């Protein structure tokens, strides 16, 4: 059984992530979307919220499961019985960081491959950071994120604005 782990912050998941996920699920028997839990980094959405969103929007795809992890990615990948890590590449600017990670992971666990999938052109400029920035400033993010993310972003921004 070919298993791939698609790790990331997914704060929040964008249509760019979803495109990578759908395409990678054609290459593997199972893809585990793994949301990193970094206690030192406070996100916009909690880990539980991100996992819940991801579960909702991937429920149509039986090959996809959603989980969270902390610690070394390579330890998690091995525990899952996976053979590969999946990462999306948007532009050259992603390359340095991704290569550093892939080479470090390869040093730690040479038997695990990192597979890069090039983002489709319509999502090349998308990032979770930009999505949050635009949404917080009242801009339109329609078509860039799943509609559930749009809803949850609106709710969260309203909640933060009301001071609760
Ligand atoms: O979506 P992101 O924030 O670009 O994802 C980064 C992620 C989760 C892939 C990366 O931070 C990671 O793998 N963290 C786990 C820690 C680890 O294994 N570090 C050593 C290898 S570089």
């Amino acid at each position: 059984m070919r298993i791939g782990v698609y790790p990331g912050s997914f704060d929040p998941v964008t249509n760019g992530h979803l495109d990578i996920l759908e395409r990678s699920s054609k290459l593997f028997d199972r893809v585990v979307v793994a949301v990193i839990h970094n206690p030192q980094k406070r996100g916009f959405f909690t880990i539980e919220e991100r996992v819940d969103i991801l579960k909702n929007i991937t429920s149509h795809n039986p090959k996809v499961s959603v989980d969270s992890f902390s610690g070394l990615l390579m330890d998690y990948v091995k525990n899952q019985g996976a053979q590969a890590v999946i990462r999306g590449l948007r532009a050259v600017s992603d390359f340095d960081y991704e290569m550093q990670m892939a080479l470090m992971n390869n040093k730690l666990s040479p038997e695990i491959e990192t597979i890069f999938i090039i983002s489709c052109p319509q999502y090349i400029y998308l990032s979770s950071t930009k999505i949050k920035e635009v949404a917080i400033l009242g801009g339109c993010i329609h078509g860039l994120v799943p509609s559930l993310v749009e809803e949850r972003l609106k709710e969260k921004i309203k909640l933060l604005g009301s001071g609760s």
Side-chain angles (χ1 to χ4, degrees), residues 8-137:
S9 306
F10 304 105
D11 188 28
V13 61
T14 68
N15 283 349
H17 291 127
L18 275 191
D19 166 57
I20 302 293
L21 185 55
E22 287 298 323
R23 286 160 62 199
S24 57
S25 76
K26 292 180 188 140
L27 303 174
F28 291 90
D29 300 306
R30 207 176 133 230
V31 175
V32 183
V33 186
V35 181
I36 182 137
H37 177 56
N38 182 351
Q40 265 104 57
K41 214 170 138 189
R42 208 169 143 252
F44 189 74
F45 287 104
T46 65
I47 303 301
E48 293 72 25
E49 287 169 333
R50 290 180 230 173
V51 167
D52 179 61
I53 292 172
L54 278 158
K55 279 188 175 163
N56 264 286
I57 61 180
T58 58
S59 60
H60 65 281
N61 190 335
K63 282 185 171 180
V64 174
S65 59
V66 183
D67 193 13
S68 63
F69 78 103
S70 54
L72 266 189
L73 176 63
M74 285 301 105
D75 288 344
Y76 178 77
V77 171
K78 280 184 268 180
N79 282 339
Q80 290 295 311
Q83 297 82 13
V85 169
I86 301 151
R87 294 287 288 171
L89 267 187
R90 288 165 300 188
V92 186
S93 49
D94 281 342
F95 189 76
D96 264 358
Y97 170 65
E98 292 297 335
M99 194 173 78
Q100 224 175 36
M101 254 192 331
L103 290 177
M104 179 59 84
N105 286 334
N106 179 263
K107 174 83 184 111
L108 295 170
S109 308
E111 72 281 14
I112 309 286
E113 288 294 344
T114 299
I115 311 275
F116 291 108
I117 296 186
I118 305 285
S119 169
C120 71
Q122 79 206 78
Y123 299 134
I124 224 128
Y125 63 95
L126 268 191
S127 73
S128 301
T129 307
K130 280 279 165 263
I131 289 293
K132 283 178 284 198
E133 185 181 323
V134 172
I136 289 168
L137 296 172

